[in-house]
Amino acid sequence: QVQLVESGGGLVQAGGSLRLACAASRRTFSSYTMGWFRQAPGKGREFVAYISWSGVITYYADSVKGRFTISRDNAKNTVYLQMNSLKPEDTAVYYCAATQGRLKPILPGEYAYWGQGTQVTVSS
């Protein structure tokens, strides 16, 4: 079992920045690929980004490419999502998730473990 706890959400004006963090409970955190997803009201859960266990490979949704950066610190069992140039359409609950053994995990069903989510609201 991997327990994930997100933090760092909040209210920000358009054009602003936020940094989300996701702390994992398990010492084998470094063996997991970590992903960020988001879900806006009335919509499905949407892929945002993932980072490989080593941090070498990252992948982003087109909607956030160039604005968001995913990173990890395996010594702290934490993955981050730096969000810059935020837009009102980025408003959603953001979830981190963990998986293993997937080549390009961009679907929610590919992740075994999920955090409880953190709200990000971007005002216009």
Side-chain angles (χ1 to χ4, degrees), residues 20-34:
L20 305 183
C22 172
S25 62
R26 196 174 176 92
R27 287 179 295 172
T28 56
F29 168 78
S30 61
S31 68
Y32 287 84
T33 292
M34 299 299 297

Side-chain angles (χ1 to χ4, degrees), residues 19-73:
R19 187 194 196 202
L20 305 183
C22 172
S25 62
R26 196 174 176 92
R27 287 179 295 172
T28 56
F29 168 78
S30 61
S31 68
Y32 287 84
T33 292
M34 299 299 297
W36 284 98
F37 288 76
R38 65 187 182 186
Q39 188 164 15
K43 296 189 176 181
R45 196 161 293 191
E46 175 190 22
F47 168 77
V48 174
Y50 75 75
I51 186 166
S52 63
W53 65 271
S54 64
V56 171
I57 298 172
T58 59
Y59 186 79
Y60 298 90
D62 288 343
S63 58
V64 306
K65 200 174 297 182
R67 300 188 298 121
F68 290 12
T69 302
I70 189 170
S71 62
R72 67 190 297 160
D73 184 339

Side-chain angles (χ1 to χ4, degrees), residues 23 70 77 79-80 90 101-103 112:
I70 189 170
N77 285 2
V79 62
Y80 304 96
D90 294 319
R102 302 283 184 169
L103 288 179

